[in-house]
Amino acid sequence: MPVDPFIALLLGTVGLAALLPARGPAADAVSGVSTAAIALLFFLYGARLSTRETLDGLRHWRLHLTVLGCTFLLYPLLGLAAQGLVPYVLTPALYGGFLFLTLVPSTVQSSIAFTSVARGNVSAAICAGSFSSLAGIVLTPLLVALLIDGAGGGFSADSVLRIVLQLLAPFLAGQLLRRWVGGFLTRHRKALGLVDRGSILLVVYTAFSAGMVQGIWQQVTPPRLLALFGAEAVLLALMLTVSWFGAKRLGFAREDRIAIQFAGSKKSLAAGLPMAGVLFGAEASLAVLPLMLFHQMQLMVCAVIARRRSRDPVTGADGHEPVTPTGPVTGADDHEPVTPTGPVAGADGPEPVSPRASDAAAGIAAGTATRSG
């Protein structure tokens, strides 16, 4: 399966930081620009999110609560349980990144793509992903501050202030100004998509430059990376299994179970990377490495599952007529979430996609499955 082009850019950025890390005054300048880029990124997130349309999906509140429970309760519990792997399997630094990936919100775009391919409840996947992204703006930084000692020394006034100034304040400013800037963002969504990706690449370069200068990469040996890969494979397998059979136990229909499995088992690289830059500072390099690895793994595994579920026999209410999913499918990647009622972007992406333009769901979503989300 081909590597996501954005993942290739991320890996290239890591290589650039390894060869030419920012040092001294250059490092201070890059750090300042990175901070401004993160603030701009969350301003754009807020300006694109249509709260009214997202709240229209509240009629599926049981499904959304289930996805939120998987994302922000079950995942963190498994992350805390993995502390038993330290120091025999994971180093303390790698475990911090492993725990961090369990705290970030779900993806939007790729969750919708896989749900569509598997003939699930696409509208529910859209709303569930949007709710998760919105909740993650608040819950992820707070969970990091409470559970990871390296993030600002725990839950302190300094960590709260940093979260408010760099994440929440720009996001809320975007929400307040959306009425005036929403049209501009829609007209220039492709150009602003480059701003999003550029901001994330800058965060990665800053984090890995600091790691190179501090010699932090001496802690990551090939056997440790292999152990991290194995631990993440087990984590993903557990979440896919629990979300599927747990949803069945709760009485959800097949279409809803598909949405729960894909939205509840995945983690957003687009949201996690800038948050790590704010919350971990110089330690962000090892914090984002597990998330980058997990991101590509989840796309590959979920693509296989979605294709298999698409071949399952599904019948209508009369037991004879096949049921086909209706609703929107996806854009190019997780930077382009959509909403169920129109071309308004979600919390983690610049480019909205109109549901009317996405009738060929199963045909294009399989290709989307290998792109960033």
Side-chain angles (χ1 to χ4, degrees):
M1 183 175 293
V3 176
D4 177 355
F6 187 63
I7 292 292
L9 284 174
L10 287 172
L11 294 176
T13 303
V14 172
L16 178 63
L19 295 174
L20 298 171
R23 301 174 183 271
D28 294 336
V30 169
S31 178
V33 174
S34 177
T35 299
I38 292 171
L40 175 61
L41 193 62
F42 276 83
F43 172 82
L44 293 175
Y45 288 171
R48 295 185 188 110
L49 178 63
S50 174
T51 306
R52 177 184 59 81
E53 292 181 352
T54 302
L55 294 178
D56 286 343
L58 280 175
R59 63 183 180 275
H60 303 296
W61 63 270
R62 287 184 65 244
L63 185 148
H64 303 320
L65 285 179
T66 302
V67 171
L68 290 175
C70 290
T71 304
F72 295 112
L73 180 60
L74 183 56
Y75 250 122
L77 288 176
L78 292 175
L80 290 173
Q83 190 169 10
L85 300 176
V86 181
Y88 309 104
V89 178
L90 301 176
T91 64
L94 283 178
Y95 170 69
F98 183 90
L99 180 56
F100 173 70
L101 84 84
T102 68
L103 307 180
V104 302
S106 175
T107 65
V108 177
Q109 200 67 16
S110 55
S111 295
I112 301 168
F114 293 131
T115 299
S116 178
V117 171
R119 297 183 297 172
N121 189 336
V122 177
S123 295
I126 293 169
C127 292
S130 298
F131 288 148
S132 178
S133 295
L134 180 60
I137 298 293
V138 177
L139 291 180
T140 296
L142 293 181
L143 287 171
V144 168
L146 287 169
L147 300 179
I148 302 180
D149 291 337
F155 191 80
S156 63
D158 179 67
S159 64
V160 172
L161 182 61
R162 188 165 60 249
I163 292 166
V164 169
L165 292 179
Q166 295 189 45
L167 302 181
L168 289 182
F171 179 82
L172 293 176
Q175 281 279 279
L176 292 173
L177 296 176
R178 184 179 182 276
R179 176 180 177 183
W180 295 278
V181 302
F184 175 84
L185 297 180
T186 299
R187 292 191 301 271
H188 299 85
R189 56 184 179 270
K190 291 186 178 180
L192 291 172
L194 298 177
V195 174
D196 276 20
R197 291 169 175 80
S199 298
I200 293 172
L201 293 176
L202 183 58
V203 169
V204 171
Y205 176 76
T206 303
F208 281 93
S209 286
M212 287 298 299
V213 171
Q214 296 176 8
I216 200 169
W217 283 104
Q218 297 175 2
Q219 305 177 41
V220 186
T221 62
R224 290 293 190 183
L225 282 177
L226 185 61
L228 174 63
F229 181 88
E232 292 188 347
V234 171
L235 176 66
L236 180 60
L238 284 173
M239 287 304 305
L240 287 168
T241 301
V242 171
S243 59
W244 178 253
F245 290 102
K248 182 178 181 180
R249 183 83 174 179
L250 292 173
F252 286 99
R254 175 191 179 276
E255 291 78 10
D256 290 341
R257 290 166 61 196
I258 289 172
I260 290 170
Q261 183 180 47
F262 289 127
S265 65
K266 301 177 59 262
K267 292 294 183 177
S268 175
L269 184 72
L273 287 178
M275 287 183 179
V278 173
L279 298 170
F280 292 92
E283 303 297 325
S285 54
L286 287 184
V288 302
L289 178 64
L291 179 59
M292 293 171 61
L293 179 63
F294 188 82
H295 172 81
Q296 188 67 16
M297 183 191 303
Q298 72 184 5
L299 292 182
M300 296 171 66
V301 173
C302 288
V304 173
I305 293 175
R307 284 196 290 267
R308 289 185 177 180
R309 297 229 189 281
S310 70
R311 295 192 291 267
D312 291 344
V314 183
T315 58
D318 58 0
H320 298 286
E321 185 174 351
V323 175
T324 56
T326 59
V329 186
T330 66
D333 54 31
D334 192 37
H335 301 278
E336 304 176 354
V338 292
T339 58
T341 57
V344 181
D348 62 348
E351 187 171 342
V353 179
S354 171
R356 299 181 182 86
S358 50
D359 296 329
I364 65 171
T368 307
T370 61
R371 301 175 184 175
S372 65

